[in-house]
Amino acid sequence: MSEARRFKDHHREERIFLSRLIVVAVLVALMMGVLVMRYYGLQVTHHQVYATQSDRNRVHLQPIPPTRGLIYDRNGVLLADNRPSYTLSVVRERVGDLEATLELLQRLVDVTPSDIDRFYDQLHQRRRPFEAIPLRYRLNEKEIARLAVNEYRLDGVEVDAQLVRHYPYGKLFAHTVGYVGRISEQDVARFDEDDFKRYSGTHSIGKIGLERQYERILLGQVGHQNVETNARGRVLRVLDRTPPVPGQDLVLHMDIRLQEVATEAMAGRRGAVVALDVKTGGVLAAVSVPSYDPNLFVTGISFTDYNALNTSLDIPLFNRFIQGQYPAGSTLKPIIGLAGLHHEIVDTDHWVRDPGYYRLPGDDRLYRDWRRRGHGPRVDMKQAMVESCDVYYYDLAHRMGVDLMHEFGARFGLGARTGIDIPTERAGIWPSRDWKRRARGLPWFPGDNLNMAIGQGDVLTTPLQLAVSTAALATRGVRLRPQVVQSVGEVPQLAQVDDVVTLKDEHWDFMFDAMADVVHGTRGTAQGIRRGLDYRIAGKTGTAQVVAIPQGEEYDSEALLERHRDHALFVAFAPEDNPQIAVAVIVENAESGAGVAAPVARKIFDAHLRERYLGADSGGQP
Amino acid sequence: MSTQDFLRRLPSMGQGFGRRDRFQQRFHVDLLLILLLLLTAVFGLVVLYSASGQSMPNVQRQAVYFVIALGTMLTVAQIPVHVMRRFAIWFYLGTVLVLVLVLLVGVGAKGAQRWLSIGGFRFQPSELMKLAMPLAIAAYLSQRMLPPVFKHVLWSLVLVVIPTLLIVRQPDLGTSILVASSGLVVLFFAGLRWRYIVGAFFALLASVWPLWQFVLQDYQKRRVITLFDPEQDRLGAGWNIIQSKTAIGSGGTSGKGWLQGTQSQLDFLPEGHTDFVVAVLAEEFGLYGILVLLGLYTLIIMRGMLIALRSQDSFGRLVAASITFTFFVYIFVNVGMVAGLLPVVGVPLPLISQGGTAIISIMAGFGILMAIATERRRVTR
């Protein structure tokens, strides 16, 4: 040690050290310079770039979905509202490993494979970046708690309260109000640029019924807010906000009490009921039974549920009153009768002999009356109405011919869509020579006239059309467009006149009287419902032969037999002296219009008139 | 003599302050250095308050660490330099032993095994090596002829390589760089011949490929790749750099103001209170803040170099210069990596980044520096 020291040259060591220190000092100075240059470059030269980047980083434009408009019945009863529901949604951009996250979520809460499928569907649709995609709706308390506990390993997973459509009366209004559902690929395919904006933040869209028809009005306008978020997407602060404009509320003509009465009166049978306010064309009740619970569709219906609905023999998803096309049967006789009177083919004194059948001149074929032994030797129009004599009408139709019948019937709305504010309405068939050539490739045969007059053959009508034409009778020729919605927001929807049929008063009087006798006359086909009536009902029964089973599938034989029976129909308005309400009832495979369909109408009339116009006994609600 | 001559040429730093000088001598402190360290640390606490999401407990804990570190520094400063020299090699050997232990029974975090847990107290032995390394090599070389001959250089390199490899294996690239540089710089100051340096430089270039292929861990490679192309993995590996550059750049000349940095306050900046704290500073205090920080550091480094220069023997000179230079490497690597100049290797910003071990080891280093600065001068040479 000391030897080593002895040889050390301290001065040289110091000199070397000093030179090295200078080198290092220069090096340090240079490197410090490099750092300063670098920061100068970032902070001064490129400041603008990074400042913009930083702003973009923290500020996100978020859409605020508007609150969907509510739907009320005429009494202010809420038929469609929005309920807060906890929704689990995922922001793809913030999730590292999506599959792992979904797997974890499946373990934490009840997420079905179809939820996952729907999630992926929506993920692959066009959407804005960082938009949350719902995975599960209606989380319960336990699930929310479980998600909260695991939040630390669920980046990009959000639980938030969203408003979800709810239909408090479920089945009762499914076919009128309809439902909203998740925006599907087909919906998106119809979207234009504005729609993408309109629906940002909104996950549901009206699929059917009023929800679809009034979609724009109910939807409202989307709002926006700029929010400051952290890197994990948590919103820290709202910077500015354009509030959404909530959708407008709808008030319907519909009366929940009538709807309930009508549904109850159907007593579990299949069929449809439409009740119209003859003064406004407002739809007071519209029933298609069996029905379904629209709430099932709101957040996505499960495959099993949908399958059950879709394959049911009773086709509950089928909206019978606008899509069901039934032979009108004898319910058209008032219109045919008026046509005969108007065109002076017959007068009210004209009579025919009814031996139980009718034979066209030069034809061996017998056209049978529904009553085998006939209605007697001298049947005039009134008796033919009251007893529903077919032979009289065969004779009338033969004399009148298809052209006059078609033209006259069309003015009562037969064979055309009524224009009701519910989508997917069908037009039915009100035949003409033209129509037959086009549709069947055949000329019009004289026998076709006879079938047409009793609403058989090719004639198909929807229950709504029957109600509309009956209402047009009740107003003495003023055909109003049926409307479900009474007012949008605060703005009333005006009644719309589609046609005015001008006839002689005596003809109207005669037909009103005849129709009233159907119910009140001792031989009236619907006299069974007259007991206890303190107002007069003018109506017409009908029985429609089932030509084909709608959407025939593999029915077991017993069901097949049952479904081959005739449909029972009844159309009516009341009170006869001051008509307020027109009703059309069809009960599938119930055979007797008088026995089954008419009582349904009676119950509706009672419910509507007793309280509102007769002031009398039913005294329940104010 | 020649040292004295040199000092006379720098009058303000001479020995003309009799009373204060005696005080400093007696208590083995360097008041100027302490003042600079205090200023930097206080600045650090201010930044940390903002960077930790305005968490007072965090700041308090860091302040406590700083006080402990200050105590450590003053304690270390009392150790006579000749004692340090004598025990340097044992300190070194002991630390190597502990590093081996870490690999065997260490505690892990984030895929690395760096910690040793003793009675609930966790500490990082690689921090000790930052001190043991320069002490050992300086002790070794100062007893040999300087500039060192090839054989002594080789032995020194062995002393450098063993702990470096042990730390790389943990793996902790950042610390191993600091440890290696603290040893190599001693060789440099001892007068390592330029031809060795140039030769080593080329050898290093040639060894890049095997290093890349066999030594570096995947996460380290990713960091290097990320440095050169951070856009490649925006939300993954590149996120840190992109976000810190955004923070720095958006700060501009005068910054967004204290507690106003959106990048840091809104959690975009990861590790904002530890390795990336300088980005918070740059965002909130702007280029001015950076200049102040680097200015303070430069003053500390100048003070350290002066102490080295004034030291009476080779051991003191080498140790003081090495500690000072390592301090600079800390700064350069950290400040450079946050700005995207260097790979993200996990080096804290000295005196500012949150964390106890690092600040204690750094302050202990300054303790050694003070011991050297206040070593009683021998009257004669």
Side-chain angles (χ1 to χ4, degrees), chain A residues 248-268:
Chain A
Q248 289 181 287
D249 296 344
L250 300 181
V251 177
L252 308 186
H253 283 289
M254 297 191 73
D255 183 338
I256 187 165
R257 290 175 315 113
L258 281 196
Q259 188 79 0
E260 273 166 351
V261 166
T263 306
E264 237 167 77
M266 290 299 283

Side-chain angles (χ1 to χ4, degrees), chain A residues 324-339:
Chain A
Q325 303 183 106
Y326 303 88
S330 305
T331 57
L332 292 183
K333 280 175 181 163
I335 292 172
I336 303 296
L338 282 174

Side-chain angles (χ1 to χ4, degrees), chain B residues 336-371:
Chain B
M337 87 182 182
V338 172
L341 271 182
L342 297 171
V344 178
V345 287
V347 171
L349 187 64
L351 303 174
I352 294 185
S353 282
Q354 184 173 304
T357 327
I359 199 169
I360 289 169
S361 83
I362 285 164
M363 292 294 274
F366 284 115
I368 294 173
L369 221 58
M370 286 187 194

Side-chain angles (χ1 to χ4, degrees), chain B residues 63-338:
Chain B
V64 169
Y65 280 141
F66 182 69
V67 171
I68 294 171
L70 214 58
T72 310
M73 177 182 80
L74 293 176
T75 310
V76 170
Q78 310 309 316
I79 303 171
V81 178
H82 63 90
V83 175
M84 291 184 188
R85 179 166 55 202
R86 182 168 314 151
F87 289 101
I89 197 70
W90 299 109
F91 180 38
Y92 171 87
L93 289 175
T95 308
V96 169
L97 197 70
V98 175
L99 281 176
V100 174
L101 271 177
V102 167
L103 285 182
L104 298 178
V105 297
V107 186
K110 289 186 194 171
Q113 214 169 18
R114 299 170 182 174
W115 304 82
L116 210 57
S117 188
I118 299 170
F121 182 75
R122 277 145 61 104
F123 86 112
Q124 212 172 337
S126 52
E127 292 293 335
L128 284 179
M129 191 44 90
K130 287 176 189 164
L131 301 176
M133 176 71 81
L135 284 172
I137 301 198
Y140 174 75
L141 286 179
S142 63
Q143 290 162 27
R144 268 76 192 172
M145 283 279 288
L146 294 181
V149 295
F150 185 69
K151 185 179 120 189
H152 298 150
V153 172
L154 265 188
W155 275 114
S156 304
L157 284 179
V158 170
L159 290 179
V160 171
V161 165
I162 292 170
T164 304
L165 285 182
L166 285 173
I167 296 168
V168 167
R169 286 286 303 274
Q170 287 182 355
D172 185 350
L173 196 60
T175 308
S176 66
I177 287 171
L178 289 169
V179 165
S181 84
S182 72
L184 293 174
V185 79
V186 176
L187 269 173
F188 179 79
F189 280 115
L192 182 67
R193 290 183 202 287
W194 284 106
R195 59 171 179 268
Y196 293 157
I197 296 171
V198 174
F201 177 73
F202 284 108
L204 195 72
L205 277 189
S207 67
V208 164
W209 182 80
L211 189 75
W212 180 263
Q213 210 67 341
F214 304 114
V215 182
L216 289 184
Q217 299 270 323
D218 268 355
Y219 86 100
Q220 293 164 328
K221 287 186 195 173
R222 256 203 315 276
R223 281 178 175 184
V224 178
I225 293 170
T226 302
L227 172 78
F228 294 115
D229 187 12
E231 309 290 318
Q232 187 186 297
D233 184 8
R234 286 193 68 94
L235 294 177
W239 175 265
N240 287 17
I241 288 176
I242 290 170
Q243 294 303 332
S244 74
K245 276 168 72 177
T246 306
I248 295 164
S250 64
T253 317
S254 49
K256 295 174 183 170
W258 189 48
L259 305 181
Q260 303 297 309
T262 50
Q263 285 289 106
S264 34
Q265 301 301 326
L266 304 180
D267 274 1
F268 280 98
L269 192 65
E271 313 271 321
H273 54 293
T274 55
D275 289 359
F276 281 75
V277 70
V278 77
V280 178
L281 187 151
E283 185 183 22
E284 299 191 345
F285 298 98
L287 187 60
Y288 295 147
I290 290 292
L291 290 176
V292 167
L293 180 78
L294 294 182
L296 279 171
Y297 281 145
T298 308
L299 288 176
I300 293 171
I301 290 164
M302 281 170 64
R303 185 66 186 165
M305 286 180 170
L306 191 68
I307 288 170
L309 196 62
R310 279 210 225 146
S311 175
Q312 296 172 36
D313 59 3
S314 286
F315 176 75
R317 276 196 294 266
L318 294 179
V319 170
S322 166
I323 286 171
T324 305
F325 188 73
T326 307
F327 180 72
F328 168 73
V329 173
Y330 253 114
I331 293 156
F332 185 75
V333 170
N334 178 276
V335 177
M337 87 182 182
V338 172

Side-chain angles (χ1 to χ4, degrees), chain A residues 226-274:
Chain A
N226 276 310
V227 293
E228 209 168 74
T229 60
N230 66 12
R232 286 187 294 279
R234 297 268 176 266
V235 173
L236 299 175
R237 192 151 61 103
V238 175
L239 297 176
D240 63 289
R241 187 182 149 98
T242 314
V245 180
Q248 289 181 287
D249 296 344
L250 300 181
V251 177
L252 308 186
H253 283 289
M254 297 191 73
D255 183 338
I256 187 165
R257 290 175 315 113
L258 281 196
Q259 188 79 0
E260 273 166 351
V261 166
T263 306
E264 237 167 77
M266 290 299 283
R269 279 184 291 252
R270 296 180 304 279
V273 180
V274 177

Side-chain angles (χ1 to χ4, degrees), chain A residues 33-207:
Chain A
V34 167
L35 289 182
V36 170
M37 294 277 288
R38 176 66 175 180
Y39 279 76
Y40 184 88
L42 290 174
Q43 302 195 280
V44 179
T45 317
H46 298 296
H47 170 63
Q48 213 48 54
V49 175
Y50 291 108
T52 318
Q53 205 164 313
S54 153
D55 270 349
R56 259 214 315 266
N57 227 351
R58 63 200 174 88
V59 177
H60 281 281
L61 189 66
Q62 273 191 343
I64 317 168
T67 315
R68 199 173 173 85
L70 305 177
I71 301 177
Y72 299 95
D73 91 329
R74 67 187 309 144
N75 312 306
V77 177
L78 203 50
L79 306 182
D81 69 350
N82 305 306
R83 293 197 171 174
S85 152
Y86 284 91
T87 304
L88 168 65
S89 41
V90 176
V91 179
R92 174 67 191 102
E93 283 80 356
R94 308 216 189 274
V95 179
D97 183 346
L98 184 60
E99 274 180 38
T101 303
L102 289 180
E103 213 173 286
L104 178 60
L105 286 173
Q106 273 174 295
R107 268 184 282 137
L108 293 173
V109 299
D110 183 25
V111 177
T112 64
S114 67
D115 287 329
I116 302 267
D117 287 348
R118 259 195 300 270
F119 172 80
Y120 274 111
D121 282 352
Q122 220 176 327
L123 184 66
H124 296 132
Q125 280 165 21
R126 184 180 143 174
R127 63 199 186 87
R128 3 176 111 245
F130 290 93
E131 190 179 349
I133 298 170
L135 177 64
R136 242 299 301 282
Y137 293 89
R138 298 178 195 181
L139 297 170
N140 59 37
E141 302 273 318
K142 252 188 200 163
E143 290 174 319
I144 293 167
R146 235 174 287 144
L147 289 169
V149 167
N150 287 282
E151 198 192 327
Y152 69 96
R153 47 176 181 164
L154 289 171
D155 268 350
V157 174
E158 294 174 359
V159 173
D160 52 351
Q162 279 185 354
L163 290 176
V164 168
R165 200 59 150 179
H166 179 76
Y167 305 103
Y169 292 95
K171 284 182 170 191
L172 198 55
F173 288 92
H175 286 295
T176 43
V177 170
Y179 55 80
V180 298
R182 292 202 203 190
I183 298 172
S184 69
E185 259 166 271
Q186 294 97 299
D187 295 323
V188 172
R190 282 195 298 269
F191 274 12
D192 59 25
E193 281 306 304
D194 285 342
D195 285 334
F196 281 108
K197 268 181 243 157
R198 217 169 263 136
Y199 285 93
S200 51
T202 300
H203 298 293
S204 56
I205 189 169
K207 296 284 188 182

